[in-house]
C-alpha cells in the first residue's frame, strides 16, 4: 500500500518492526508527503532481503541519489539489516545518534537509530525509544510512565526528558501462543470482546497473580464442562494475562501519570484495564508517534549539521 | 516397540494419552506378560484411526475373539475414540466404572475408563485418575497430595481413598511453547540442566509469582546483553514456571505428604523444587502406576462379575 507523493521527499522516515514495515516521505519541516506500508517485518526477512524490500517500497520517492533515510526498530537488531548497539539507560531518546549504514544502494543514505538497554534487571527495546521521543515532542516535561503494549509490552519510567528505567512483558506473545497453539485454541474466538469477562479476569490476576497458570487451564475446563462462550473465553484470556502484567508492573504505574502508546485495539484494552484501577491514562497512536520521533531526531541532526 | 508375550494374555491394559499409546498384555492376576508402545497419541489421530492403531499394536496378543481391553486417558475424550462422560469429584478412583464401547472389531471387547471433573473451580482430568487408583493400591490409606506433572500438571487432594479436589496448571505446555515457538527459542538449549539456576528461578517466582511475565523476557534480554548460557536459560525458564505453579498450588502442598507421579525427568524436577521448600516428596513412575491402576479396576470388575 502506498499513498501518493505530494511533492519531493526531503527525507524518508522508516519504522521497521518485527511484523511490519512503514515508511513516510517527509519534508524538511516534518510534514508527511506520502506513506507506504508493507507486512514484510524483520521477522519475515533474511539478512539480504532488507535492502531490496525497502527500495521496492520507497522507489517512487527516490528521485535523486542519496535520499536520507532514517530508520528505527528491529531493523537494527542482530537479525536485522545492520546491528546497531544499544544505548544504556538513563538516556534522552530525543538525543539518540543514528548509525550510518554504508554499502547501500546509491539512491539512499541510510541511518538506523539504536535501541535502549538496561543493565539490571537486564532488558532491551528497539523501536519504542523512538515512539517515546515522539511523545516527548508534544509533552517535553512529561513525568510519569509510558506503557507500550504489543508482542512484548514495555513499561517505561520517563522524567526530565530521559528514559530512567523500563520493564518488558511477554503478555502479547503469550496471548498469541495460547490462543493459537495451545489446548486453549479450540475454546477461543478469533475476535470479539466481552467487557465484563475482561474486567473480571483483570481484577482476578491483578489481586492474585499466582493464579494465572491455573486460571488459564480453567478456560479449557469451563469450555469442556460448561460450554463457555468463545468470545468470553478470549476476553478472559486477555484479562488474565494483562491483570498479571499490571500486578507485576504496579510499582511502575501506581499513582503515576500514565500514557499508553500503540495500536488502537491494544491501547483501548490496556487503558480499560488501567481505568479499572482508578487511573486516567492518555492514549496515542503508535505509528504516528514513531514518525514524530523520527522527525524529532532528524531535526536534531539537521541542527547539528547546520 | 513390542516386548514379547510370555504366555496367553487374559486381558490387555491400555494407557492412551495425548502424546503416547502404551499397552500391556496382562494375566488375570495382574502380572505383565508383554508391553507395546507407540507414539501415536490421541493428539496425532483422527477419530477413525483409533481402532486400526490399537489393533495393529496389540495384534500379537489377539489369539481369540473378544479379548478384554481396558483403556484410560484421552482416548475417552471428545476428540478420542469414544467420549466417556466425566465423573464428578469427590469420588474413589479405584471404583470407577469403565464404559463398554460397542461396534468394535470382534477380536476385542473394549471398555474405557471415565475421567474426573470438578464443578468449581471448573477442572477436568483424563488418565491421571487411573494413576491415582494405581498409587492407592500400594498406599490405600494415603492422606495427602499427589502431584502429576506433565503437559498439564495436576495437583490432587486425596483422602480416605477419594479424590477430594484438584487443580490443573499449564506449565508444561507453556514451557514447550516458550522454549520452541517464542522469542526465547533462540536463547534456550534443547536439553541440559543447571541446578543452581533452576533453584534460584523457583525461589524467585515462588516468592514473587507476579514477576513471571517479566522474568520470562529477562531470559531473552540476558541472552542478548550478557550471552546467557543456553542451558542456564533452559533451567531458568523451567524454574520460573514451576516456581509460579508452586506459588499457586501452595494451599495444596504446604505441610502435606506429597507424592509425585510421572515421567522420571519431570518427577525429578518437581521433587527438586518441592525439596527446596522443605518437603520430602516420594517419586513414582507414571507409566507403571497407570498399569497398576488399570489392573486394580480390572480386579474390581472381575470380583463384581463373579
Amino acid at each position: 500500500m502506498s499513498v501518493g507523493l505530494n511533492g519531493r521527499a526531503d527525507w524518508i522516515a522508516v519504522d521497521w518492526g518485527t511484523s511490519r514495515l512503514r515508511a513516510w516521505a517527509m519534508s524538511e519541516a516534518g510534514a508527511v508527503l506520502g506513506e507506504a506500508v508493507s507486512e514484510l517485518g524483520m521477522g519475515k526477512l533474511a539478512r539480504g532481503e532488507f535492502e531490496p524490500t525497502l527500495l521496492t517500497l520507497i522507489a517512487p520517492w527516490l528521485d535523486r541519489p542519496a535520499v536520507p533515510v532514517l530508520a528505527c526498530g528491529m531493523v537494527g537488531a542482530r537479525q536485522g539489516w545492520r546491528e546497531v548497539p544499544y544505548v544504556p539507560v538513563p538516556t534522552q531518546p530525543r538525543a539518540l545518534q543514528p548509525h550510518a549504514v554504508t554499502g547501500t544502494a546509491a539512491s539512499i543514505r541510510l541511518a538506523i537509530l539504536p535501541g535502549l538497554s538496561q543493565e539490571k534487571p537486564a532488558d532491551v527495546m528497539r523501536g519504542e525509544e523512538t515512539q517515546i521521543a515522539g511523545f516527548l515532542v508534544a509533552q517535553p516535561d512529561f513525568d510519569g510512565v509510558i506503557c507500550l503494549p504489543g508482542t512484548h509490552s514495555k513499561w517505561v519510567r520517563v522524567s526530565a526528558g530521559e528514559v530512567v528505567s523500563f520493564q518488558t512483558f511477554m503478555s502479547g506473545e503469550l496471548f498469541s501462543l495460547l490462543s493459537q497453539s495451545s489446548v486453549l485454541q479450540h475454546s477461543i474466538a478469533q475476535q470479539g470482546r466481552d467487557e465484563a469477562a475482561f474486567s473480571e479476569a483483570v481484577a482476578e490476576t491483578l489481586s492474585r497473580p499466582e493464579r494465572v497458570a491455573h486460571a488459564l487451564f480453567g478456560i479449557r475446563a469451563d469450555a469442556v464442562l460448561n460450554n463457555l462462550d468463545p468470545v468470553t473465553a478470549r476476553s478472559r484470556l486477555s484479562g488474565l494475562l494483562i491483570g498479571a502484567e499490571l500486578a507485576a508492573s504496579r510499582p511502575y504505574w501506581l499513582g503515576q501519570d500514565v500514557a499508553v502508546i500503540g495500536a488502537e485495539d491494544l491501547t483501548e484494552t490496556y487503558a480499560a484495564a488501567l481505568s479499572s484501577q482508578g487511573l486516567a491514562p492518555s492514549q496515542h497512536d503508535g505509528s504516528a508517534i514513531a514518525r514524530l520521533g523520527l522527525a524529532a531526531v532528524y531535526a536534531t541532526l539537521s541542527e547539528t549539521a547546520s
Side-chain angles (χ1 to χ4, degrees), chain A residues 35-87:
Chain A
E35 181 177 3
V37 180
S38 157
E39 297 303 311
L40 291 170
M42 184 211 72
K44 298 164 197 138
L45 297 173
R47 185 162 284 236
E49 298 172 329
F50 284 89
E51 180 157 2
T53 299
L54 181 67
L55 292 178
T56 302
L57 188 72
I58 64 173
W61 307 334
L62 301 178
D63 57 354
R64 64 191 188 281
V67 176
V69 175
L70 181 59
C72 69
M74 294 303 284
V75 64
R78 198 167 297 172
Q79 297 85 6
W81 187 340
R82 192 67 56 85
E83 186 176 6
V84 176
Y86 295 101
V87 172

Side-chain angles (χ1 to χ4, degrees), chain A residues 175 179-180 187-194 229-235 265:
Chain A
F175 182 82
S179 62
Q180 289 162 28
S187 313
I188 287 181
Q190 285 310 300
Q191 52 187 12
R193 256 179 92 77
D194 176 337
D229 177 77
V231 169
T232 301
R234 182 179 178 83
S235 292
D265 57 337

Side-chain angles (χ1 to χ4, degrees), chain A residues 11 13 26 28 69-72 92-99 111-114 129-134 137 289-305:
Chain A
W11 65 286
M26 304 290 292
E28 198 68 34
V69 175
L70 181 59
C72 69
Q92 295 192 354
R94 292 183 66 183
L96 287 171
Q97 292 296 313
H99 287 231
I112 299 178
L113 274 168
E129 73 296 325
T130 306
Q131 295 181 311
I132 297 165
V137 170
I289 223 163
R291 193 194 68 229
L292 281 179
L294 288 161
V297 170
Y298 186 81
T300 313
L301 298 178
S302 304
E303 279 166 28
T304 315

Side-chain angles (χ1 to χ4, degrees), chain A residues 153 155 169-176 178-179 182 184 187-188 193-223 228-250 253 269-270 272-273 276-277:
Chain A
S153 59
W155 292 82
F169 293 85
M170 292 184 64
S171 316
E173 187 163 19
L174 282 171
F175 182 82
S176 298
L178 287 168
S179 62
S182 85
L184 301 184
S187 313
I188 287 181
R193 256 179 92 77
D194 176 337
E195 291 300 336
F198 174 77
S199 301
E200 195 185 323
V202 167
E204 184 176 338
T205 49
L206 180 48
S207 60
R208 301 288 302 274
E210 76 279 10
R211 288 197 182 167
V212 171
H214 169 239
L216 293 178
F217 189 79
I219 293 173
R220 161 75 176 168
D222 229 2
L228 178 68
D229 177 77
V231 169
T232 301
R234 182 179 178 83
S235 292
R236 185 162 167 71
L237 175 61
S238 169
L240 290 172
L241 294 172
I242 292 177
E245 179 177 331
L246 289 188
S249 60
R250 196 192 305 261
W253 53 261
T269 300
Y270 275 72
S276 74
Q277 299 308 307

